Amino acid sequence: MIDPVTLIVALIIVSTPVLLAAIGELVVEKTGVLNLGVEGMMIIGAVTGFITAVETGSVTLAFLAGMAGGMILSAVFGVLTQLLLSNQVATGLALTLFGIGLAALLGVGYPGSSLPPVPDLFPASMQAIPVAGPILFSHPLIIYLAVLLVVAVWFLLQHTRTGLVIRAVGESHDAAHALGYKVIRIRFLAILFGGACAGLGGAFLSVARVQNWIEGMTAGAGWIALALVVFASWKPWRVLLGAWLFGGISALQLRLQAAEVNVPVALLDSSPYLVTIIVLVLISSDRARAALNAPAALGKVFHASG
Amino acid sequence: MTALLEIRGLTKAYPGVVANDDVSFSIAPGEVHALLGENGAGKSTLVKMIYGLVRPDSGSMTLGGSAYTPAEPRAARASGVAMVFQHFSLFEALSVAENIALGMEDPPRPRDLARRIQDVSRAYGLPLDPARMVGDLSAGERQRVEIIRCLLQDPKLLIMDEPTSVLTPQEVEILFHTLRKLSSEGTAILYISHKLEEIRTLCDAATILRLGKVVGSCTPREVSAADMAEMMVGKSLATPARDASEPGEVLLHVAGLSLEPATPFGTPLRHIGMEVRAGEVLGIGGVAGNGQDELLAALSGERPVAPGMIELKGTPIGATGPEARRRAGLLCAPEERLGHAAAPDMSLIENAVLTGRVRRGLDRSGFVGWGRARAFAEEIIERFDVRTPGPAVAARALSGGNLQKYVIGREILQAPDVLVVNQPTWGVDASAAASIRQALLDLAQNGAAVVVISQDLDELLEISDRFCALNEGRLSASRPARGLTMEEIGLMLGGAHDMHDIAPEPEAAQ
C-alpha cells in the first residue's frame, strides 16, 4: 500500500534538483541565451559538492562548492558564447559532455564515502505533527530556498526594473543595445546565475538526496529541467508545477515497482519523463500565447555593431 | 542666437570606409534642422555619435556652450539629447509603458508612469494606451511610443531618423503638427530624411552630406526639391518614363484570397481580389505590417492557398509551390534582400542558380552547370549595373542598393509573365532606385504584368497604371493612378489611426 504522506515528502525531495536547475535556466533563457549545458553543470555541482562534504565535513560548504562548480562551468559557456560568439547550441552540448566526463574523473575514489548528515531546519517536535509535520517541516533548508527562489524569480521578472531589463534583452538585443543596456554583461551574469542554480541542484542530489556519488547520477535531470522551461512557457509557477509533477511521478513509480505492480519496469522507469512532457505540452498547446512569452532573441548571437 | 549644439570637424573611419569626414554644423534652440543625404552618406554614423552610440575618431561637440562627449546613450539622454530610431528600438512582447520605462533613466512607479504617458500623449495629440502590447500596434502608433518616450525626458534636442518612411500621409501631418509644437517650445529637432518635399515643408535649415562630407547647406524653403536632390546625389536624375500602351489580356487573377498569418504579430489576409493585365503595372500601397509580406508569400507560393484563389493565365495555381509557379511564369522578389531574396553567405552565382535554375536551364539531370550560372550572373551584373568586384563574391558583401538591383535583375532577366516585387527600392539610393523603376517599366512595356507592393507612394504614383491600397489585410478596389492626390490615397489607406482631432474619420476604402 502507498502512503500519501511519504509520497508527498518524496515528491518534494525528488523534484528539488530539477526545480533549482530549471529556475536558473529560465532566467538564462529570459535574457535570450539557450544554455544546453544544464546537465553538465548539475553533475559538476554534484561531484564538487560531494567531494567538499567528504573532505570538510560541512554541508553548507558542500552546497556552496556545488554552486561554485556550476558557476565555473557556466563561465566557460559565457566566455565562449558571449565574448567569442560561438554557437550556443553546440557549445551547450559540448558543455554537457565535458561536464559529465570531468565529473567522472574528479569523483574517482569517492563512491561510497560517508557523509555528514544534512541538518533539518525545524525541531523534531514540529516534525512530529501528523501529516503536516513530515510534509512541511521535515526538510533541509535548501528545499525551502528552492521554492522561495521560484517566488523571487517571478517577482523579479514581473515587478522589478531589473526583470524588465532582463526580458527586454531577451526580446530584442539590438533594441536593448540601442537604448544603452549592456547586453553581454546582463547575459553573462544570467549565465552565472543559471550555473549556480544548476550546481546547487546537483549538490543537493548527491549530498542530501542520494548521499552518495555515482557516476552519471543526474540521469537526465538537466534535460528535464530544460524541457520544463520551454513547456512551462517561461513562467516560474509552471516550472514549479512541472518539477513537482516530475518528482511526484518519479516517487510514485518507485513505490509501484516496489509493490510489484504488473507493469513493465522499463515503462515505469520512463513514466516521469513521459508524463511530465505530455502534461506540459498540453498546457502550452495554445501556440500563439506560448510564442508570445518566448524570448524572441533566444539562442541568437549578439554582436554590437556601429 | 547661440547654438544649442555645435559640431566641429567630426571624423569617424571604419575599416575601408570613412563614414564621416570633418563634418561641422550647428543647430540653434527651437530650430528644425534637416540632415540630408543618400544611403551611405554617413547620416546614421553622425547621429549615432551625437547620441553616444559611436565614439568619433576626432573632432568635438559642444552642447549648450559646454563640451559634450557622450560615452553612452545614457549620458546623451542625461544631457538632454533624445533619439527616435528608424527601427530596432521597441520590444514587441512588452507593453507600451514597459517600453517607455526602458528608455528612461529613472522611471517613476508604473501607475505614475501610465498617468504621465497619458498626459503627454494628450498634450501633443498622440493618443496611446499605456497597457497595450507593442506587437499589436500599427507602425504609426509604434512611432508615437518612441516619441513619447523621448518627450517624457524633456529633451533639448530631439533626433529623428527617417520618421515618416512608415506613415500614411495623414499620420505625417500629425507628426509635423507635433514637431512644430515642440519646436515652438524651444526644442531643437535634427531631422534625417531623404524625402525632399517633407523637408521643404518642415525644416528651417538643412545640411547635406555626400560620402561622409558636408557638401552644402541651404534653407529648404528657399530652394527647390530638384536643387536639393542634385546636391545630394551630385548629378541630376532622369525620371523613369515609358510609352503609353493598351493593356492586354488578364495574366494574373486573384479572387477571395484569405490567409491566416504564420507569426503571432502577422496580419491575416481577407478576401483579396485583383486582376493584372499584360503590359500593366499595378501599384499596391500601404503602411508596412498591413499584410504586404503575407500577400507576397501567397503570390510567390511560399504559403499555398486554395487552388482557385490565384489564377495565372487562366490556370489555377493557388496550391502549387514557388518552383512550379516560376515554371509557369510567375516570379517574385520579396522585400528582405538578405535572407529572403538572397542567401547572404552564398555567392552571386549561387544565388543566381537558386531562382533562375528552371527558367534559365542552369541545371541538367541534377547537376548544376556552373558555366551557364556564371554567365547568367554576369549578365545580371552587366545589364543592371551592379557594382561588385565579380560574380563570385558573397551576397552579403554588396551594398543594399546593389544587391537589390541584382535580385530584381535576376527575376527580370528570367522573362517572367508576371512579376511581383515588394518594396523594390526600400533603403536604395536615389540613382539605383530610378534604374530599378525604369527596369520594371521596361518589363511591363515588353508585355509582362507587374505588381509593385510599396510604402513609397511617390514611387507608386510614378510607375503604376492602377493603384490600390492594402490596409489591415484587405485590398481596396483599384483606381487609375493618374490624377490621384495624396489626400485620396491617404483615405484609401485608412487614414490615420484613431486621429479624430485633426483628420476626419476616414471612409472605408471603396
Side-chain angles (χ1 to χ4, degrees), chain B residues 305-338:
Chain B
V305 292
M309 288 180 180
I310 303 171
E311 286 179 10
L312 181 69
K313 292 178 278 186
T315 319
I317 56 159
T320 58
E323 204 60 48
R325 293 191 197 190
R326 283 192 195 115
R327 198 167 282 133
L330 169 61
L331 302 186
C332 293
E335 171 186 8
E336 180 72 36
R337 291 182 281 267
L338 279 176

Side-chain angles (χ1 to χ4, degrees), chain A residues 125-139:
Chain A
S125 58
M126 286 176 78
Q127 296 183 29
I129 304 170
V131 185
I135 294 178
L136 294 179
F137 303 121
S138 69
H139 308 295

Side-chain angles (χ1 to χ4, degrees), chain A residues 46-115:
Chain A
V47 78
T48 50
F50 189 82
I51 292 173
T52 310
V54 171
E55 300 297 337
T56 67
S58 161
V59 173
T60 312
L61 279 182
F63 287 138
L64 288 176
M67 287 169 77
M71 264 170 111
I72 290 167
L73 203 60
S74 71
V76 173
F77 177 84
V79 169
L80 289 173
T81 60
Q82 301 307 302
L83 303 183
L84 304 178
L85 308 183
S86 71
N87 178 295
Q88 293 177 6
V89 171
T91 311
L93 289 172
L95 199 70
T96 288
L97 295 176
F98 173 64
I100 291 173
L102 183 65
L105 180 70
L106 293 174
V108 169
Y110 281 98
S113 306
S114 65
L115 275 186

